[in-house]
Amino acid sequence: YLFSVTPIRGKERNLLGIVLLLRDVTRLKEVERLKSEFVMAASHELRTPLTSMGMSIDLLLEHAAHGLAEKDRELLFAAHEEVHRMKALVNDLLDLSKIEAGRIDLEFESVPVQILFENVQTVFKGQLEKEQVVLKLELPRDLPHIRADANKITWVLTNLVSNALRYVDKGGNIQLMAGRMGPYIHLSVQDDGPGIPQEYQTKIFEKFVQVKGQESGGTGLGLAICKEIVRAHGGAIWVESVPGQGSTFTFTVPVVQ
Ligand code: ADP
């Protein structure tokens, strides 16, 4: 049940009574669950044909493209790009619907934040060098370990850094930071990119929301997935940003007891 309470007051602000509104959301929850199940089934079915289409096009590009006219090769390359974009979308939809349907199994362990940061640094090493972006780590000593599924939290960090990389200019800066906040560790990814307007700062964590004029060519699902993963860990995620001065995405994860 969802419930809300509204006090009813008289002329002298004296309490006359209250209105208690109880809403049975069982059906709503069931509809949500069915929706997630459907998206999960559909994206699962779409994955196999998309993978074989992608492989066929890749093979054609590798072996037969030199025999094709320039225009035909361009058409084939456009198909290749679209299939890969669709595969990314279908994979993201599948991940998100699984999480929404409560079908993610988190394997909790005691994880040192330093290892997570170093893994992320390794993953992006090549791309950072190519785009001349500096990735700095700022980590206090003796930070307690977090209680987390290392793969899933790495996914969140990787997604945030990959977003940051899309938005910073050549020669820009990204910083990974962490600190303790009571029973939580907060982890942040800061960039000096274009920033995010105030009216979008909560909305971008919803599915398919992208900042107008700042779409990245991505699926618009990344931050929604991050939010669900963080929530499943018992934490929260938010962004602080001043347009023109960059963005800082922060999320919290409980420390190991
Ligand atoms: P996608 O990146 O696939 O579009 P996301 O859910 O990861 O989807 O991000 C949603 C939107 O939030 C992006 O399209 C972009 O407009 C905005 N955004 C995300 N990260 C940043 C960032 N570091 N700097 C500026 N805008 C960002």
Side-chain angles (χ1 to χ4, degrees):
Y1 285 93
L2 272 181
F3 75 94
S4 59
V5 183
T6 314
I8 308 291
R9 294 192 181 270
K11 279 207 181 99
E12 273 84 47
R13 309 267 320 134
N14 51 319
L15 193 65
L16 299 175
I18 56 165
V19 176
L20 181 64
L21 197 67
L22 276 176
R23 213 164 125 228
D24 182 350
V25 287
T26 318
R27 228 186 99 66
L28 209 67
K29 285 260 172 229
E30 180 59 11
V31 171
E32 282 290 313
R33 195 188 60 79
L34 286 172
K35 207 171 75 186
S36 296
E37 292 278 340
F38 171 75
V39 175
M40 194 162 30
S43 37
H44 191 79
E45 287 303 312
L46 284 169
R47 234 156 48 139
T48 316
L50 270 174
T51 304
S52 54
M53 269 164 75
M55 270 161 49
S56 306
I57 296 175
D58 286 352
L59 277 174
L60 267 174
L61 272 172
E62 240 174 73
H63 300 301
H66 50 268
L68 292 176
E70 179 68 23
K71 262 235 138 49
D72 293 341
R73 217 172 22 235
E74 273 170 18
L75 285 174
L76 202 56
F77 192 71
H80 161 94
E81 292 288 289
E82 288 303 298
V83 165
H84 283 273
R85 221 168 57 85
M86 228 164 127
K87 252 170 61 185
L89 176 62
V90 162
N91 280 334
D92 281 356
L93 273 174
L94 188 61
D95 282 345
L96 189 59
S97 55
K98 270 190 195 159
I99 302 174
E100 283 178 343
R103 296 246 196 124
I104 75 163
D105 296 320
L106 293 179
E107 288 178 22
F108 287 111
E109 37 182 345
S110 169
V111 186
V113 176
Q114 175 142 12
I115 302 274
L116 296 178
F117 279 9
E118 285 170 2
N119 285 349
V120 171
Q121 212 174 23
T122 312
V123 167
F124 288 101
K125 196 167 182 290
Q127 197 180 345
L128 287 163
E129 276 167 15
K130 204 171 119 204
E131 294 174 22
Q132 293 169 20
V133 172
V134 180
L135 176 69
K136 272 199 226 139
L137 310 188
E138 199 184 295
L139 198 66
R141 279 169 192 273
D142 305 326
L143 207 59
H145 292 190
I146 52 174
R147 180 180 178 270
D149 181 318
N151 286 333
K152 299 282 187 314
I153 291 298
T154 302
W155 196 99
V156 174
L157 275 172
T158 309
N159 203 271
L160 295 177
V161 173
S162 141
N163 275 353
L165 259 168
R166 277 199 220 142
Y167 290 100
V168 295
D169 290 327
K170 204 172 178 156
N173 294 285
I174 301 175
Q175 195 157 8
L176 291 179
M177 299 171 290
R180 181 163 190 171
M181 205 168 67
Y184 293 97
I185 298 292
H186 56 89
L187 298 95
S188 301
V189 179
Q190 187 176 60
D191 67 59
D192 57 4
I196 295 159
Q198 177 79 43
E199 66 269 28
Y200 277 101
Q201 290 177 12
T202 41
K203 274 204 250 161
I204 48 168
F205 294 96
E206 290 167 21
K207 284 178 259 187
F208 302 116
V209 175
Q210 298 181 313
V211 178
K212 258 211 163 68
Q214 268 174 230
E215 298 86 353
S216 59
T219 61
L221 289 171
L223 290 175
I225 299 176
C226 289
K227 186 174 160 186
E228 293 298 331
I229 293 177
V230 170
R231 192 189 282 172
H233 279 79
I237 184 166
W238 65 91
V239 66
E240 287 151 286
S241 172
V242 178
Q245 292 177 23
S247 318
T248 306
F249 285 84
T250 304
F251 63 97
T252 54
V253 186
V255 299
V256 168
Q257 291 303 316

